[in-house]
Amino acid sequence: AQSVTQLGSHVSVSEGALVLLRCNYSSSVPPYLFWYVQYPNQGLQLLLKYTSAATLVKGINGFEAEFKKSETSFHLTKPSAHMSDAAEYFCAVSPEGGGSNYKLTFGKGTLLTVNP
Amino acid sequence: NAGVTQTPKFQVLKTGQSMTLQCAQDMNHNSMYWYRQDPGMGLRLIYYSASEGTTDKGEVPNGYNVSRLNKREFSLRLESAAPSQTSVYFCASRVRGPNTEAFFGQGTRLTVV
């Protein structure tokens, strides 16, 4: 089954510092990959998604992610953290095809803390 | 535009009681999902419905049943609630296809005592 692994359940950065949140997927066939963000007491919303059109994907709020097939990774970055970026971030995967391609599976999440 | 609406927002049940969590979307989406969120576990898929008339098990279906009542509504039922089902439950929907964005409800916080 397709899955994603998020390295680091908690990442803490200073305001203005680089944000790097890691996600690796397990599949021999590149799947569709997503990053979602969850602010406290809210549902999830999409940050960005990879759909094979380009390996570098830009999302909302200055975030971007790079798909690297050789490393089976889809890490999320932002050059300069802002206090409002404090939230939990989830990597998610949908299989490329087959009968289960409607599934959407999430990683365990990474809580981002931004220090002033 | 309401998006995905879940009811109730909060619920406390006693062990053994039953209840149904309701979810409705007004975006004409084909696929709908139920997840539970627990600390350190991320979102785990309980059941999903690829399209009206079909439902499939996810990672953690035991103790739950679902009904895709029509294209708009997808309900989750706990027949005999257990403390292990204390969690935050999220419903989501998306247009048919693996590369489409999922839209989430605000969640139902369920406590089983």
Side-chain angles (χ1 to χ4, degrees), chain B residues 19-39:
Chain B
M19 79 162 294
T20 299
L21 281 65
Q22 306 287 352
C23 175
Q25 52 89 11
D26 62 3
M27 296 173 283
N28 202 35
H29 287 170
N30 301 95
S31 301
M32 297 186 73
Y33 304 80
W34 275 107
Y35 293 89
R36 58 176 292 173
Q37 183 177 24
D38 303 289

Side-chain angles (χ1 to χ4, degrees), chain B residues 20-23 32 49 52-53 55 66-76:
Chain B
T20 299
L21 281 65
Q22 306 287 352
C23 175
M32 297 186 73
S49 171
E52 185 179 358
T55 60
V66 290
S67 295
R68 183 74 184 267
L69 305 169
N70 48 54
K71 191 171 186 179
R72 290 186 64 247
E73 299 172 287
F74 188 39
S75 62
L76 179 71

